[in-house]
């Protein structure tokens, strides 16, 4: 029994005291404060005057760059009149080329199927004839279609590159502008006389010269202007007869 009591006393006897327990608690708190101070230092924002690498300022959710195209005033100014397939700048340049027979024609602009100007000029010719007391809308449209068909066939025989019917109609329609001027004069005074005959001949030459100039520029037919101007003069002579008589 004495050996058993001595074993119990040796088993429960230890050097661990309450002071050691308090010291371990203090050590654990010290380690916690150390880790906490480290996290606080990581959360501290950089001062305004200090250098910070761009990588530290980048958000963790950042996945790429957003492209924002700059607005261009030229784009909107161009799309405002090209969105319907109507280029007013080309219409204005073609009109100036017709009004000035001595001005060189731009073949790249003239070789286009632009029927906006020709339709407007045909309507203007019919309207001025109507104001002069002549209802000739059917004749204007009929002669325009048949005349364009004849010139189209002739140019395809003379030119090696060929030309489309729309291009022929566009050129002949734009060159109808001087005839509109003549028909506008018929609204205010009669053209049945010497002055009217001379004016009609001048307008016919003006229209045919402008049309032949544009055709040889667009189709590279140098030296054949007179051959092209003759059938054009016959066509515009029909419109002059409608205007004068």
């Amino acid at each position: 029994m004495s050996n058993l009591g001595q074993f119990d006393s040796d088993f429960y006897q230890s050097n661990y005291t309450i002071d050691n327990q308090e010291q371990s608690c203090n050590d654990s708190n010290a380690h916690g404060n150390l880790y906490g101070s480290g996290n606080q230092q990581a959360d501290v924002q950089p001062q305004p005057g200090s250098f910070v690498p761009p990588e530290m300022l980048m958000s963790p959710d950042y996945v790429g760059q957003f492209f924002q195209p700059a607005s261009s005033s030229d784009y909107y100014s161009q799309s405002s009149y090209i969105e319907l397939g109507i280029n007013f700048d080309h219409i204005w340049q073609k009109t100036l080329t017709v009004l000035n027979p001595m001005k060189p024609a731009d073949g790249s602009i003239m070789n286009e199927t632009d029927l906006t100007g020709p339709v407007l000029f045909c309507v203007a010719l019919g309207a001025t004839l109507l104001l002069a007391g002549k209802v000739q809308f059917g004749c204007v449209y009929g002669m325009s279609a048949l005349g364009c068909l004849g010139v189209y066939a002739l140019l395809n025989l003379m030119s090696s590159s060929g030309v489309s019917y729309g291009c022929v109609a566009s050129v002949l329609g734009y060159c109808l502008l001087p005839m509109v001027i003549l028909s506008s004069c018929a609204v205010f005074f009669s053209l049945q006389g010497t002055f009217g005959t001379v004016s009609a001949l001048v307008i016919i030459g003006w229209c045919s010269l402008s049309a032949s100039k544009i055709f040889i520029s667009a189709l590279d037919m140098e030296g054949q202007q007179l051959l092209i101007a003759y059938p054009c003069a016959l066509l515009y002579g029909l419109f002059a007869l409608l205007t004068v008589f």
Side-chain angles (χ1 to χ4, degrees):
M1 293 296 291
S2 62
N3 294 331
L4 181 60
Q6 184 178 1
F7 175 77
D8 293 337
S9 62
D10 293 337
F11 180 80
Y12 290 104
Q13 185 176 5
S14 174
N15 293 327
Y16 185 80
T17 60
I18 297 176
D19 296 336
N20 293 334
Q21 184 178 4
E22 293 177 356
Q23 183 178 2
S24 62
C25 292
N26 293 330
D27 292 339
S28 62
N29 292 331
H31 287 293
N33 293 332
L34 178 61
Y35 293 138
S37 62
N39 294 331
Q40 291 178 359
Q41 291 178 0
D43 296 335
V44 172
Q45 299 295 330
Q47 297 297 326
S50 61
F51 172 77
V52 180
E55 293 80 3
M56 296 181 61
L57 298 177
M58 188 177 299
S59 174
D61 298 333
Y62 181 80
V63 295
Q65 297 180 353
F66 295 95
F67 176 73
Q68 297 180 355
S71 60
S72 176
S73 59
D74 296 336
Y75 171 78
Y76 293 107
S77 62
Q78 294 176 1
S79 61
S80 61
Y81 57 82
I82 301 180
E83 58 184 357
L84 296 178
I86 300 174
N87 195 328
F88 290 104
D89 184 33
H90 287 184
I91 294 175
W92 177 248
Q93 292 182 15
K94 292 178 181 179
T95 304
L96 292 180
T97 303
V98 173
L99 292 177
N100 186 7
M102 301 304 172
K103 178 183 178 181
D106 188 358
S108 61
I109 296 178
M110 296 303 171
N111 196 8
E112 295 179 354
T113 307
D114 175 22
L115 298 179
T116 304
V119 170
L120 291 178
F121 295 153
C122 285
V123 173
L125 179 60
T128 52
L129 290 176
L130 181 62
L131 294 176
K134 305 173 184 178
V135 183
Q136 301 291 348
F137 281 99
C139 293
V140 170
Y141 295 144
M143 287 191 303
S144 298
L146 293 178
C148 292
L149 184 61
V151 176
Y152 164 74
L154 181 63
L155 290 177
N156 280 302
L157 293 175
M158 297 176 60
S159 175
S160 59
S161 59
V163 64
S164 63
Y165 182 82
C167 179
V168 174
S170 177
V171 173
L172 294 178
Y174 273 104
C175 294
L176 196 64
L177 178 59
M179 196 63 62
V180 176
I181 299 175
L182 180 64
S183 62
S184 300
C185 296
V187 176
F188 302 100
F189 51 86
S190 177
L191 297 177
Q192 296 181 3
T194 304
F195 176 77
T197 303
V198 174
S199 299
L201 292 177
V202 172
I203 293 298
I204 292 172
W206 186 357
C207 295
S208 59
L209 181 61
S210 298
S212 59
K213 176 191 65 176
I214 295 173
F215 280 131
I216 64 173
S217 176
L219 301 177
D220 295 330
M221 300 173 61
E222 297 295 336
Q224 303 181 17
Q225 185 173 1
L226 294 179
L227 295 177
I228 301 175
Y230 176 71
C232 294
L234 295 178
L235 174 62
Y236 292 116
L238 297 177
F239 291 108
L241 291 176
L242 289 177
T243 303
V244 174
F245 302 102

